[in-house]
Amino acid sequence: MTKRKYLQKLKKKLGKIPASEKAEIVEYYAEIIDELYERGKTTHEIFRTLGTPEQVVSDYFNENEGPIIERKHPHSKNFYLSSTDDNEQKKKTETSNLHQKNKKINILLVILLFPIWFPVFMLGFALVLTVSITIIALLVAVVSIVIACGFAGIYCFIVSFGLIPAHGALAVIQICAAFTLLGLAMLFGLLVKPLGKGIGGFFKLILRKKSCSTGVTVKSKWVTVFIIGIILIIGGGCTGVCTFQSALGGDWHNLAVVGNFTEQTKVIALNTENLSFVADNLQVEVLPSEDEEFRLVYFENEELKLNYVYENGTITIKNGAWSNNAWEYFRQTWQRGVMFSSVVSAYARAKLYLPVSYKADLTLKVDNGMLSIADFTGETVGLKNVNLTTNNGKIKVNNLKTEKLTVCSQNGYIALDCVNAGIIEAKTNNGYLELKNLVANTVNGITHNGAITCERIKGEIIELSTNNGSIKGTIVGQESDFKISAKVNLGHCNLSNKETGDKTLRVKTDNGAINLSFAEVN
Amino acid sequence: MEIQMKKGLLDVCVLALLRRRDSYGYQIVIELSNVIEVSESTLYPILRRLESAGQLVTYTREHGGRLRRYYRITRAGLDRLDRFNREQREIQKIYAFIQGEDE
């Protein structure tokens, strides 16, 4: 045991006694230890002389029957030698009276100076809170990185062995990636202890108003872990990249050993009036076809067939069983590599070609994937109802003429440009709305968490609403044309409500500014 | 020795030592242990008690690159010693009573 450790332990064992008293005790024992040391005693002898911190503390409390400071009756029986003294008692009561007077003055001062000390106190409190939350956040982030890198590394390492017979080079790359991840986990792991100590030190500093050393002692173990981590990162990274370049030609598509992707083309004989498309994980693009044919083009892997069904005007494409079955998924990963699923998903895209003469409803619905439709314009109104829905993905619409356009995304942004429709409805929960060059009777834009940007929106009824985000841009027309209702909870609004006007403009945001201007466009 | 009695006697012993000259913690333990059994951990509460009763004061002096805390007896401390000495006859009477030597 070192002197510092002994004193720290002593401090801890003393428990809840006033900080000043604790400091006095520690100082006293520090001095005794120094004295013994100067007299040539070994540390072992010193601590044997003093006894364990527990003994010291028990002596302290026994001698006092409670800490000295808390002693309320100085003439209790264990101080019998002075208990007979009346003079002293008198003196004591006098001084205690004086103390009481001082106390009253102090309380008065505290109350009178409240406007000064309270803001200072609150400022200090806020600062302490900020610093401690920052350090804790850092610690949580570092711990998360360590856990994530560690688990990913171990997973990658284990899974790579299944790949060795199928593709040695890929297995090597994966094992290298695993080493790099483990190295990263080790390096970040080194940060955990200093950060933890930093938090401890910070709170000690605040609670005891006394500086204490939080210096991290550099130990050989620390250095070893650091060096191993660096070697793993550099070694793993370099070997991996070199193998990737030489064996796979630097093409990331080769990272998944899943055979060849081939383009599939399905010609659809439309047997109903309307067309729907449903898919789980697919990025769908709708384009005008050059001839009068309905065509669907998508990529398929020869070993992982997609389930394509066309029935009653509905096209359905679902992934094979592997994507929903955990065991099958793991088997595929074991045989084909960790990068396998991401490469497969990079190929998860389809193009739907529609003849320009098609004049009916179009419904697209996917779970995960981006949707886009472009270049359906003509002299007459083309499509009737266009309905685009995705859970996770953005939606893009360019150059479209339709009767009604409804786009809906949960977690993705929506961008509409050059749309001419009777009704335009755009709805997203977590994403922004970008509305450009719209001409419609009714424009309805709703988002919960995102901004709304407009450029040249022309409409009889325009409604824009968001919970957290700003609304800005230009509306076609003159301010006098519009009946305006603008609501802002927190933020600036440049519109003023008015009741007269042929057209309607309703704008609403809870947290954000509204900045809309009116412009005449020919 | 009777523990309650020893407590009181230790107070007086420390004061008596400090009347001769100012001293510091370890030195007090060394010198007193010739007369009465005392350890570092028992001395500390005594010093604190005497200090809070105003019977001794402390000051620091540099020694070998660090500070050493010295204790000096006060007027009140000297008074207490005097009182103790005055009570000597009374105590002897008590001893005589305990040993059954009275009458």
Side-chain angles (χ1 to χ4, degrees):
Chain A
M1 209 184 323
T2 62
K3 175 181 162 193
R4 206 179 115 212
K5 269 201 178 149
Y6 184 89
L7 294 178
Q8 262 177 4
K9 210 168 162 192
L10 180 64
K11 239 190 248 182
K12 217 163 126 189
K13 296 278 173 208
L14 279 166
K16 280 182 186 168
I17 63 165
S20 59
E21 173 68 8
K22 207 181 259 193
E24 289 263 2
I25 297 169
V26 170
E27 199 185 305
Y28 171 83
Y29 282 99
E31 190 188 306
I32 297 282
I33 293 169
D34 285 338
E35 297 287 350
L36 285 160
Y37 193 71
E38 272 172 31
R39 282 159 179 78
K41 297 266 167 62
T42 65
T43 30
H44 183 71
E45 284 170 331
I46 291 173
F47 295 125
R48 206 181 45 199
T49 316
L50 287 182
T52 63
E54 287 87 348
Q55 283 166 345
V56 166
V57 171
S58 102
D59 272 349
Y60 173 74
F61 284 113
N62 281 341
E63 285 294 315
N64 289 302
E65 294 186 355
I68 285 179
I69 294 300
E70 283 174 8
R71 180 160 50 95
K72 291 215 171 84
H73 308 288
H75 304 290
S76 59
K77 60 178 184 213
N78 52 328
F79 304 104
Y80 66 94
L81 277 178
S82 53
S83 66
T84 49
D85 188 45
D86 291 337
N87 256 344
E88 204 168 285
Q89 199 158 1
K90 230 180 191 174
K91 255 188 217 163
K92 280 251 159 95
T93 40
E94 272 169 18
T95 47
S96 77
N97 279 342
L98 201 69
H99 274 301
Q100 268 175 357
K101 257 185 199 166
N102 278 340
K103 246 186 191 169
K104 273 180 191 164
I105 292 170
N106 279 343
I107 291 168
L108 200 71
L109 270 178
V110 165
I111 294 168
L112 283 177
L113 292 179
F114 178 82
I116 298 171
W117 66 257
F118 188 70
V120 174
F121 171 76
M122 287 311 282
L123 177 75
F125 181 72
L127 277 176
V128 168
L129 201 69
T130 314
V131 174
S132 38
I133 287 175
T134 311
I135 303 178
I136 290 171
L138 264 176
L139 184 71
V140 170
V142 168
V143 169
S144 316
I145 291 173
V146 172
I147 293 173
C149 285
F151 273 104
I154 292 165
Y155 179 74
C156 204
F157 187 77
I158 294 171
V159 156
S160 301
F161 286 98
L163 199 58
I164 293 172
H167 200 311
L170 188 54
V172 170
I173 292 171
Q174 281 193 175
I175 289 172
C176 290
F179 282 143
T180 312
L181 284 168
L182 289 173
L184 278 172
M186 284 169 90
L187 285 197
F188 276 101
L190 289 178
L191 288 177
V192 173
K193 206 178 167 190
L195 270 175
K197 273 196 173 174
I199 293 175
F202 180 71
F203 282 120
K204 269 185 197 164
L205 192 77
I206 297 305
L207 296 177
R208 302 189 186 182
K209 297 170 194 161
K210 217 174 175 189
S211 67
C212 62
S213 62
T214 55
V216 185
T217 46
V218 179
K219 284 173 191 160
S220 55
K221 210 167 103 192
W222 196 91
V223 176
T224 319
V225 174
F226 183 78
I227 290 171
I228 294 175
I230 292 283
I231 290 173
L232 281 177
I233 291 172
I234 295 175
C238 289
T239 322
V241 169
C242 289
T243 321
F244 177 59
Q245 287 293 341
S246 57
L248 299 183
D251 185 359
W252 63 273
H253 286 89
N254 294 334
L255 280 174
V257 192
V258 277
N260 293 318
F261 284 92
T262 49
E263 205 179 78
Q264 301 280 319
T265 306
K266 305 271 179 187
V267 177
I268 299 146
L270 191 66
N271 51 11
T272 53
E273 199 191 334
N274 302 320
L275 184 66
S276 315
F277 189 134
V278 181
D280 48 10
N281 301 306
L282 209 56
Q283 178 182 331
V284 185
E285 227 175 306
V286 182
L287 298 162
S289 96
E290 283 153 13
D291 40 39
E292 286 297 299
E293 238 174 27
F294 290 86
R295 248 181 303 131
L296 181 71
V297 179
Y298 60 95
F299 291 98
E300 191 171 57
N301 188 268
E302 30 190 58
E303 291 174 51
L304 287 167
K305 300 277 187 201
L306 296 176
N307 296 329
Y308 168 87
V309 178
Y310 174 69
E311 246 177 21
N312 301 327
T314 305
I315 306 165
T316 312
I317 291 190
K318 299 265 177 184
N319 282 122
W322 63 274
S323 70
N324 295 325
N325 180 331
W327 173 243
E328 179 67 7
Y329 185 85
F330 183 75
R331 200 179 64 80
Q332 295 283 1
T333 314
W334 174 261
Q335 285 178 354
R336 301 170 196 282
V338 173
M339 284 294 287
F340 159 74
S341 54
S342 51
V343 174
V344 170
S345 60
Y347 275 105
R349 55 178 74 186
K351 281 181 182 171
L352 180 66
Y353 292 93
L354 299 183
V356 192
S357 60
Y358 176 65
K359 292 187 196 310
D361 295 353
L362 173 69
T363 308
L364 293 189
K365 200 172 176 186
V366 298
D367 283 336
N368 302 302
M370 170 187 151
L371 296 177
S372 67
I373 179 166
D375 301 323
F376 284 90
T377 49
E379 288 300 309
T380 56
V381 171
L383 297 159
K384 260 190 194 161
N385 287 320
V386 177
N387 199 328
L388 311 177
T389 312
T390 176
N391 275 338
N392 301 303
K394 59 190 172 189
I395 300 178
K396 269 182 169 173
V397 178
N398 281 321
N399 296 317
L400 180 71
K401 206 169 187 180
T402 174
E403 280 182 19
K404 185 181 178 192
L405 172 67
T406 313
V407 290
C408 184
S409 171
Q410 283 287 324
N411 304 304
Y413 73 85
I414 294 173
L416 310 181
D417 193 1
C418 295
V419 178
N420 190 329
I423 300 170
I424 298 175
E425 273 180 23
K427 214 188 261 184
T428 173
N429 273 341
N430 303 303
Y432 62 87
L433 291 180
E434 203 178 84
L435 312 172
K436 284 182 188 172
N437 305 308
L438 305 186
V439 179
N441 280 327
T442 309
V443 177
N444 199 339
I446 301 172
T447 172
H448 285 298
N449 301 305
I452 300 178
T453 321
C454 325
E455 266 178 46
R456 295 175 294 278
I457 298 186
K458 194 173 176 181
E460 300 296 315
I461 301 170
I462 300 173
E463 276 185 64
L464 303 170
S465 126
T466 172
N467 282 352
N468 302 305
S470 300
I471 300 174
K472 62 182 178 184
T474 53
I475 305 275
V476 175
Q478 286 181 339
E479 193 173 358
S480 56
D481 298 341
F482 285 95
K483 197 164 95 179
I484 299 174
S485 145
K487 263 189 214 162
V488 180
N489 272 348
L490 297 165
H492 174 75
C493 175
N494 77 330
L495 297 175
S496 42
N497 293 345
K498 68 190 188 68
E499 291 289 335
T500 53
D502 300 333
K503 301 171 179 180
T504 310
L505 176 63
R506 276 197 284 269
V507 204
K508 191 196 115 207
T509 174
D510 284 329
N511 304 305
I514 292 178
N515 193 355
L516 285 175
S517 57
F518 295 89
E520 280 298 344
V521 176
N522 296 321
Chain B
M1 201 183 295
E2 182 84 24
I3 194 149
Q4 293 294 351
M5 194 160 148
K6 190 180 156 192
K7 267 187 187 170
L9 283 176
L10 270 170
D11 282 19
V12 186
C13 287
V14 170
L15 288 175
L17 188 83
L18 292 179
R19 188 172 58 182
R20 294 185 180 86
R21 64 176 171 280
D22 296 357
S23 187
Y24 53 93
Y26 182 70
Q27 186 67 26
I28 296 172
V29 175
I30 293 293
E31 286 188 24
L32 276 192
S33 51
N34 297 326
V35 190
I36 187 167
E37 193 200 326
V38 63
S39 73
E40 289 81 3
S41 52
T42 43
L43 177 67
Y44 176 78
I46 295 162
L47 289 171
R48 289 288 287 156
R49 194 159 58 217
L50 293 174
E51 190 185 353
S52 60
Q55 289 163 6
L56 59 79
V57 288
T58 68
Y59 63 94
T60 52
R61 191 182 282 172
E62 213 194 303
H63 166 82
R66 63 181 172 82
L67 289 177
R68 196 184 246 172
R69 178 175 283 215
Y70 279 84
Y71 301 87
R72 176 190 291 151
I73 192 164
T74 61
R75 190 71 246 162
L78 292 170
D79 287 348
R80 179 161 171 197
L81 273 182
D82 283 346
R83 274 200 309 279
F84 183 80
N85 289 333
R86 277 204 302 277
E87 283 162 359
Q88 195 178 1
R89 179 167 294 200
E90 213 173 315
I91 290 171
Q92 271 171 355
K93 224 167 101 187
I94 294 168
Y95 264 104
F97 168 75
I98 292 166
Q99 287 157 0
E101 285 173 9
D102 57 334
E103 305 270 318

